Amino acid sequence: MKALAPLYNAVAMALHWLMAALVLSLMLLGWLAVNQPLSPLKFDLFYWHKSLGILTLTLAVLRLLWRWLRPPPPPDPGLEGWQRRAAAAVHGLLYLLLLLMPLSGWLINSAAKFPFRVFGLFPLPHLVGPDKALQANLELVHLIGFWCLAGLLLLHVGAALDHHFRRRDPVLRRMLPAWGRWR
């Protein structure tokens, strides 16, 4: 009987799926906000985008700390070397973007000298002084980051679905709590 691949721990699973929902929400809110004419709705969309972005930055740091304290289970032994290297590269880039995107957004807000309170609770300090040129450059970084993140997410989800439905291996089930318990 083949040994079952070890699951991710419950905290890693919870952070993964919470952040997946947050990132998709951020992408939708950001897309809607930039395509909205100047209006109260545009400000509301950006308010939620920024607040959720700071939450995502906080969770990304916590997730990296948790990953350091509780390393993930070893890769499924059925994976080929190139698959392990590709997965490690995609995960590394995803973590980088989970930090870069909220930080670049925070810097954009700072360079615009726009006052902001995260979820209305506390002010977000400015990291840089007002600078329109810097703001424009950071907006470009944020936009490029968005497209890179979108591409990496498609690759990540596509690979997980390929492993589950075509290859029929346990790669995806290791991150799904209900399926992981009942396999």
Side-chain angles (χ1 to χ4, degrees):
M1 179 177 202
K2 183 181 174 190
L4 297 177
L7 300 175
Y8 283 82
N9 63 62
V11 173
M13 286 185 205
L15 287 170
H16 176 272
W17 292 109
L18 176 58
M19 290 187 70
L22 280 170
V23 167
L24 292 176
S25 298
L26 283 164
M27 294 174 99
L28 177 63
L29 286 167
W31 185 265
L32 291 171
V34 297
N35 289 298
Q36 197 64 228
L38 191 59
S39 66
L41 175 60
K42 184 179 190 95
F43 284 104
D44 286 346
L45 292 169
F46 271 125
Y47 167 81
W48 286 106
H49 178 79
K50 292 174 187 181
S51 289
L52 292 175
I54 295 302
L55 176 59
T56 301
L57 176 61
T58 304
L59 290 175
V61 170
L62 289 173
R63 189 168 177 195
L64 285 167
L65 179 62
W66 183 258
R67 187 178 174 96
W68 179 67
L69 292 171
R70 299 280 180 116
D76 183 67
L79 294 180
E80 296 179 32
W82 72 268
Q83 290 174 312
R84 291 177 193 202
R85 289 187 300 277
V90 168
H91 284 113
L93 289 170
L94 284 171
Y95 278 114
L96 178 67
L97 286 168
L98 287 172
L99 297 170
L100 175 70
M101 291 301 290
L103 283 172
S104 65
W106 187 353
L107 286 164
I108 290 166
N109 193 77
S110 298
K113 197 155 174 58
F114 194 87
F116 180 69
R117 295 181 70 81
V118 180
F119 293 113
L121 299 174
F122 57 90
L124 190 64
H126 293 295
L127 300 176
V128 296
D131 186 330
K132 291 296 178 190
L134 178 61
Q135 178 187 346
N137 288 331
L138 289 166
E139 287 170 353
L140 180 60
V141 167
H142 204 66
L143 178 63
I144 291 169
F146 166 83
W147 287 112
C148 290
L149 184 58
L152 283 170
L153 288 175
L154 285 174
L155 186 62
H156 181 68
V157 170
L161 294 175
D162 177 67
H163 279 282
H164 187 72
F165 291 109
R166 191 174 69 82
R167 298 173 191 265
R168 301 194 182 280
D169 62 27
V171 169
L172 176 61
R173 285 191 305 270
R174 293 166 19 122
M175 189 52 86
L176 295 173
W179 288 4
R181 281 194 304 263
W182 300 105
R183 37 182 191 156

